[in-house]
Amino acid sequence: QVQLVESGGGLVQPGESLRLACVASGDIVTIYNMEWHRQVPGKQREMVASTRPTGVLNYADFVQGRFTISRDNAKNTVYLQMDDLRPEDTAVYYCTADVVDVSSRVNTYWGQGTQVTVSS
């Protein structure tokens, strides 16, 4: 079994920054893709940013230039640095990881989410 635990959410004012972290633990041999998604109540969950083992990064258009995704493979951790936050960034942020286990199976796991609120 694999667990993903996010941290770093909170309440900030517009223009401020937050750094989210997500640590994966458990039956892990290696991790392929790691991503951040977010969801606002009543709306569909949307992808925010993703990182491949090759180092390829992808971002949603609405966070280009403001958010930065990074990962520490030795710590099975993915980060999301969020700068110049806006009220419309308010959401629950989730991380995901495509994990290869000792049986060579690949499964996608989700964290429990961390609330980010941007308000003056």
Side-chain angles (χ1 to χ4, degrees):
Q1 193 57 277
V2 173
Q3 297 81 39
L4 301 183
V5 178
E6 300 106 333
S7 62
L11 171 63
V12 297
Q13 295 188 344
E16 294 186 337
S17 300
L18 280 175
R19 187 187 193 214
L20 306 183
C22 172
V23 181
S25 63
D27 182 17
I28 299 171
V29 172
T30 191
I31 300 177
Y32 290 159
N33 302 334
M34 302 188 82
E35 300 182 351
W36 287 96
H37 297 247
R38 70 185 187 186
Q39 187 168 27
V40 176
K43 293 189 176 181
Q44 282 194 329
R45 194 170 293 186
E46 55 188 0
M47 196 277 288
V48 176
S50 66
T51 170
R52 304 288 188 264
T54 56
V56 174
L57 309 176
N58 285 294
Y59 296 94
D61 289 343
F62 53 78
V63 301
Q64 283 281 0
R66 300 189 298 125
F67 292 9
T68 304
I69 189 171
S70 60
R71 63 192 287 173
D72 184 334
N73 292 324
K75 296 181 179 179
N76 291 332
T77 300
V78 62
Y79 303 95
L80 186 67
Q81 176 67 40
M82 304 187 295
D83 298 320
D84 189 24
L85 283 161
R86 304 168 181 170
E88 54 264 38
D89 294 319
T90 296
V92 177
Y93 285 71
Y94 301 88
C95 67
T96 72
D98 295 336
V99 177
V100 181
D101 63 21
V102 293
S103 300
S104 299
R105 295 171 300 192
V106 181
N107 292 298
T108 299
Y109 294 90
W110 287 75
Q112 82 289 351
T114 184
Q115 177 69 47
V116 171
T117 302
V118 185
S119 175
S120 55

